[in-house]
Amino acid sequence: MAVGRPRAFDVEERLDRALDVFWRQGYEGTALSDLTEAMGINRPSLYAAYGNKEALFGRVLDRYQDGPARHLRTALEEPTARAAAEHLLRGSVAVVTSARNPGGGCLLVQGALATGEQGEAARARLADGRRAAETALRRRFERAQDEGDLAPDEDAADLARYIASVSFGLSVHASDGTGAEALHRVVDRALAAWPG
């Protein structure tokens, strides 16, 4: 049985390079030639290691959520609902204003907002990611209600939508050049409206 030649590149490290390109240029604004150049591989190697552009984008989104955007997950582990909301919002500011951030803003927000038909799958995947984050936050707030940390008459879904909207809005402002200090003041204002 013939054995293929082993890969001469680190698949995960090249995935980080692709993440930077998609984050900076968005899904539709990224051509395969942009990816192969940034990743330092040819098209056949890209297809063999990651599949097509859409599949690569899916892998990049998973990498983003496990890496730069992991605060979305760790916020849910905070001991109180308010602490979870603050962790999420302060983490969002850190990500969208980080010097490591190649494009400004959040990949989940800006990766495929303006796409044509060919970008529909990417847009749907990003929308699913945003909805999943909001759903996880709602569940965290419902748990807080069960634990007596949040009033039982508070609408957990509305509160989660509010916090998610503020978080995603921080990304939009950061992409326009608003700095961390100003964004933290937005977080302060949002938390001042916390129920209770």
Side-chain angles (χ1 to χ4, degrees):
M1 178 168 119
V3 177
R5 203 172 65 190
R7 283 197 187 103
F9 61 89
D10 180 333
V11 173
E12 298 302 312
E13 187 269 336
R14 302 301 165 102
L15 196 56
D16 286 336
R17 293 185 192 187
L19 190 156
D20 286 348
V21 175
F22 281 124
W23 199 347
R24 187 174 51 255
Q25 298 176 195
Y27 179 81
E28 196 163 282
T30 298
L32 278 174
S33 58
D34 298 327
L35 293 166
T36 56
E37 181 179 337
M39 296 169 79
I41 59 177
N42 60 31
R43 281 185 190 213
S45 294
L46 186 148
Y47 289 128
Y50 308 102
N52 61 16
K53 178 181 169 182
E54 184 181 319
L56 174 59
F57 188 66
R59 296 260 316 260
V60 160
L61 288 178
D62 292 340
R63 185 89 168 169
Y64 177 76
Q65 290 174 323
D66 290 340
R70 71 184 160 274
H71 68 281
L72 297 169
R73 196 171 300 123
T74 58
L76 303 174
E77 299 165 8
E78 290 290 338
T80 66
R82 188 185 186 285
E86 181 166 11
H87 185 116
L88 178 107
L89 294 174
R90 302 269 184 223
S92 294
V93 172
V95 169
V96 300
T97 61
S98 168
R100 192 235 180 270
N101 181 332
C106 166
L107 180 62
L108 285 178
V109 174
Q110 298 175 260
L113 285 181
T115 58
E117 263 182 51
Q118 66 274 20
E120 183 55 40
R123 184 173 42 245
R125 174 87 192 252
L126 289 166
D128 287 346
R130 291 189 301 270
R131 277 191 294 275
E134 186 178 314
T135 297
L137 201 54
R138 176 186 51 80
R139 289 181 180 144
R140 176 62 185 90
F141 294 160
E142 289 170 345
R143 189 179 97 209
Q145 288 175 311
D146 292 342
E147 295 169 350
D149 173 50
L150 192 62
D153 61 344
E154 184 63 45
D155 189 319
D158 283 350
L159 185 58
R161 189 170 300 111
Y162 169 68
I163 295 298
S165 296
V166 172
S167 176
F168 298 140
L170 293 168
S171 172
V172 173
H173 282 287
S175 69
D176 290 341
T178 304
E181 186 177 328
L183 295 178
H184 279 297
R185 287 197 304 271
V186 172
V187 173
D188 293 340
R189 175 72 53 124
L191 293 173
W194 187 258

